[in-house]
Amino acid sequence: MGGRVNLWYAICWWYIQNCYSALSSSIRTIDGYGALFPHQKEYLYYRTESALTAGGCYYLYAGAGEKLGYSARSMDEFSVAHYAHDHLGDLAEKVPYSHVKGDVVSLFYYDSPKHTIRISPDPLHRSSAFSLYDPDAADPEDPLSIHLGSYPVCDLSLEGTSNEKRLLVYTDSSCDPLFPLLASHYQYIRVVDLMQVTDAELERIRPDGYDQVLFCFSVGTFGYDRTVGNRLG
C-alpha cells in the first residue's frame, strides 16, 4: 500500500511540474505540494471529504507568503476552535466503510483588537454580512460551509486596516479554510467557486479591479474536470 501511495505522490508532482512549465513566465506559481509534503503524516486532508483540513490549509498559507507578498504568521499566533466532530462527508456516502473515523472541522482565529474580518456569503445577490465563522452564514447541513458559506461567490473584508490590497480567487472548494487565513493580509478578498458559479455571475466579476488574482485547485479538478478550462477560456 505504501508503494502505491508514493507512486501517487510522484505522479501528482510530475503533473504539477508539467502544468507549471506550460504557463507563461508572467504567471507566478506557488508550490502547494512542497508546502504540504513535509507534513504528510499530519491531519492535512479530511478522511471523508475530498478537501484540505484547516491544518493543511495553514501550511498552504505559510508557503504562499513569499509569492503573494505577506509575512505568514506562525501557527501559535492563531486560536483554534472545533466547529464539528465526527463529520461524515461525501466520500463516506460514496464508500460506506463502517470503520472510518469521522472528521473534525477546525477554525483558525487570528485575534486582533484593531481588525475585524467580515464575511458576505452571497454578495452578488444580497448585501448581508456576518462575523467570520458565524453559523448563521453557513449551511446547517454542511459543516464545511462554516468557512465561506455555501454560495458560489463569497467576500471577505478586513475592517480597520490601512492595507488596500485586493485579491480575487478562483477555486474549487478544496481549500476553503485557506482564505480566512489570508484575509488578515488584505483589505478585501473575493472567492469564486468555479464549480458552482453561473456564467452570468462570472461575467459580473472583473479581474482588473484587483491587485492580485490567485488560482487554487486540486490536482483532480484542474487535471480531470473540464469546468475550469471552460469557465476561464
Side-chain angles (χ1 to χ4, degrees), residues 6-233:
N6 289 333
L7 177 60
W8 171 246
Y9 283 139
I11 292 172
C12 288
W13 182 87
W14 176 86
Y15 177 77
I16 292 168
Q17 298 307 311
N18 274 271
C19 289
Y20 286 172
S21 65
L23 295 173
S24 165
S25 59
S26 63
I27 298 175
R28 305 186 73 184
T29 60
I30 297 173
D31 186 12
Y33 180 92
L36 293 170
F37 190 80
H39 307 280
Q40 60 183 288
K41 293 184 178 180
E42 298 179 36
Y43 184 43
L44 302 180
Y45 290 89
Y46 292 113
R47 288 178 285 267
T48 67
E49 294 273 6
S50 52
L52 283 163
T53 64
C57 285
Y58 170 80
Y59 293 118
L60 287 186
Y61 157 79
E66 181 180 355
K67 294 290 183 70
L68 290 178
Y70 61 81
S71 297
R73 297 182 173 86
S74 63
M75 189 175 285
D76 59 12
E77 292 184 71
F78 293 92
S79 301
V80 181
H82 303 301
Y83 177 68
H85 296 79
D86 298 323
H87 167 63
L88 296 177
D90 57 352
L91 296 180
E93 297 174 3
K94 295 175 182 177
V95 185
Y97 177 58
S98 61
H99 298 290
V100 69
K101 186 178 180 181
D103 284 300
V104 177
V105 179
S106 299
L107 312 175
F108 277 50
Y109 290 89
Y110 174 63
D111 297 320
S112 171
K114 298 181 179 179
H115 303 144
T116 301
I117 298 173
R118 302 280 288 174
I119 178 173
S120 300
D122 189 21
L124 297 183
H125 302 286
R126 55 181 182 166
S127 59
S128 55
F130 303 85
S131 298
L132 184 64
Y133 304 138
D134 188 329
D136 288 339
D139 179 351
E141 301 298 322
D142 179 14
L144 269 62
S145 69
I146 189 64
H147 300 289
L148 297 178
S150 58
Y151 295 92
V153 181
C154 173
D155 289 349
L156 295 164
S157 57
L158 183 63
E159 298 180 352
T161 180
S162 59
N163 188 345
E164 297 182 351
K165 289 177 62 177
R166 294 164 60 89
L167 174 68
L168 174 62
V169 180
Y170 294 107
T171 186
D172 60 356
S173 77
S174 62
C175 55
D176 284 354
L178 169 63
F179 309 117
L181 294 171
L182 291 175
S184 62
H185 299 283
Y186 291 86
Q187 180 188 66
Y188 176 86
I189 299 176
R190 170 158 287 181
V191 183
V192 182
D193 185 344
L194 284 185
M195 312 308 289
Q196 296 189 63
V197 70
T198 66
D199 291 338
E201 290 170 331
L202 200 57
E203 289 179 0
R204 295 175 59 186
I205 299 168
R206 312 303 301 176
D208 55 4
Y210 297 84
D211 300 290
Q212 296 173 320
V213 180
L214 178 65
F215 299 88
C216 293
F217 297 98
S218 67
V219 169
T221 298
F222 192 82
Y224 300 102
D225 194 307
R226 295 183 179 180
T227 304
V228 176
N230 292 341
R231 286 292 173 82
L232 296 180

